[in-house]
Amino acid sequence: MFKSILTGTVNCLILFMLVGIAGKTNASPIDNPRADEIYQLFDSGKFLSDDDISKLLQEYKDSLASNDVARQQLHTRLTCWNLPADNSEQMKAAVRFADEHLKIYHQATPSLIQIDLQLCKTWFLHYLGKNDTLFADLDTAIDNAYLLEDPRLIADGRSIRGTILSYMGNFSAALEDLITAQNLYETLNLPYWANVNLGELANSYRRFGDAENALKYQLKLEQYYRQQNQLFAANKINNEIAMSLEELARYQEAIVRYQKGRDFWLSENEITAAADASISIGGNLIHLNRLDEAKAILEQAEKQIKSDNEGSYSYMNLYLANVHNKLNNNTQALEYIQKAEQAFSDSENARGLNSALRLKSQIYQDLALWQEAYNSLLAYVDSHLELDKQTMSDRNTEMQTRFNTDKIQSENEWLVQRDKDKEQQLQILQRNEQMQIIIIILVAIILVIVSVFAYKQLVRKKQFKVLALTDDLTKLSNRRDTYAQGQHFLKAAQQSAKPFSIISFDADHFKKVNDTLGHEIGDKVLVKLASICSSMMRETDVVGRVGGEEFLVLLPNIDKTKAIEIANRLIDTIANYDWSQLSPHLEQTISAGVASYSNETELSPLLLKADKALYSAKAAGRNCVKAE
């Protein structure tokens, strides 16, 4: 069971433990040791109260010089991650804060602050239950972190995505992200964040069904946090240990753990968090059939937990429905299970929704509402199958097969007890059904193997085709592909009488970059030129690398005047880019030549015109555009 509870000061701690402040510290030439000390305090993961956070952020801001842009951006990032998040309105305000500053820092090429603000925004969206809308932006942020080659941003992004995927039940993808993040944190020598991420790994193993291994990790983490006197982190792990014990059916041990967590929250005057722990205690009391105790503690928690706290609210109603069902109060049980079902659906908690649908079917059966019971059971089956499709793991397949076999065996045993005079016939039927299942499984395995093989062949063929037409360094179209597409655009212009223009450009004094800074920096310059140019063009345009530092841009349906304007904008963007990110004191410009289709029948004459214009631009002093 996973509960997304953020209350008071623990909210900031949980957010910080899961993410930290992504990226590098953007070392500034302006000396400000106190600001750097405050930043390191935040990034250390040390618990800070709300008052401490507010005071430190204000002190950080007040200490900054007006021209200290790097630390001003860090202050914005720190602020985003430490905004109040006690309820849904405060979380929505945090999302608005991120959106407003994403507009302020918007630019064509990715930056550290853009990526970190996007990660901050998606994390708050997750706690608002908006998981269906956040992955596109989250994936883009992670891709941009790779583009900037920032391992800390990559680790934070993949840790966040893995945590969310795990919560949603997509364990295969979650484990891939979390393991990648774990390796990065350990490589970066960030033990605190490595341990936080390890906790999420343990959670994923628990949800995946391997609670035994999860428990081993969690006990080690709890010991580490208590040795470091990180009590909030230790309490969080204590709660996760209780969940693993619950998965292992060690309910009394789980209750002791949950009670320990509840006592901690009460000592911190965190009433809502304590109520959340009470919900978990109630769930385990139900397993032990201590129904009156469970009902009392859950009804007490009901006074504190509201519907905007979706995680706790959903499980509280699920457990109350279960208690009332077992006590034969099925009308009241139905009211609670409907609330639980809606909350699980809103938060996209597939595992919780499965439990709610299954219990809802049982309640309808006890009320003799057979059609409703059947419909709920169908919904449960559909939901369960959808979850299986999402994970697509060998282990889940094995478990599903075993479930089907056990189900058939149980049904046959029941039939044998009910009608002993048909025992021999039922045994034969059972063997036939088992043989049918074996045949179906074997056929399915063969079909899967054939399908996978065919798919891999198709993917490999497409990959070879892409590789043959792609420049290995910049991932742009290579010379052959660019010229082939150019010829296609030229023929289309001839047939439609629409304009077609090209821009030929190359890096100024690029040999000097290679000779003085080395080929590694030279390659990074070429990759950045490709990235900047591609980001400025339309989807219908083609940007290709046709030589060492030579690029060609194909502009269908663009006349010469517009092409010159585009080329000038490209010249300015590249000249104004902060090339010192690649190497101190590095500056890079380009020269460009523009040519437009007039009456050419082949691409070659048009290319010659563009080359001639490019030579004119170089002769004119470079960093300019000429047209033929």
Side-chain angles (χ1 to χ4, degrees), residues 114-162:
Q114 279 182 320
I115 297 169
D116 200 22
L117 286 171
Q118 193 65 66
L119 293 178
C120 179
K121 173 185 173 181
T122 55
W123 187 249
F124 281 111
L125 286 174
H126 165 57
Y127 273 96
L128 282 167
K130 306 296 183 181
N131 296 313
D132 55 334
T133 63
L134 62 80
F135 277 102
D137 288 339
L138 180 54
D139 292 343
T140 299
I142 295 171
D143 290 342
N144 287 336
Y146 275 102
L147 187 62
L148 292 184
E149 299 178 352
D150 190 302
R152 177 65 187 277
L153 274 172
I154 295 168
D156 290 335
R158 296 199 70 167
S159 182
I160 292 171
R161 188 169 65 184

Side-chain angles (χ1 to χ4, degrees), residues 192-211:
Y192 181 82
W193 304 114
N195 282 322
V196 170
N197 189 77
L198 185 61
E200 290 304 323
L201 261 174
N203 275 341
S204 295
Y205 281 122
R206 174 181 58 77
R207 295 178 186 134
F208 190 56
D210 191 0

Side-chain angles (χ1 to χ4, degrees), residues 459-470 478 481:
V459 169
R460 188 177 293 110
K461 183 177 179 181
K462 290 182 178 180
Q463 288 175 338
F464 286 152
K465 183 177 180 181
V466 170
L467 289 173
L469 300 176
T470 302
N478 62 15
D481 187 40

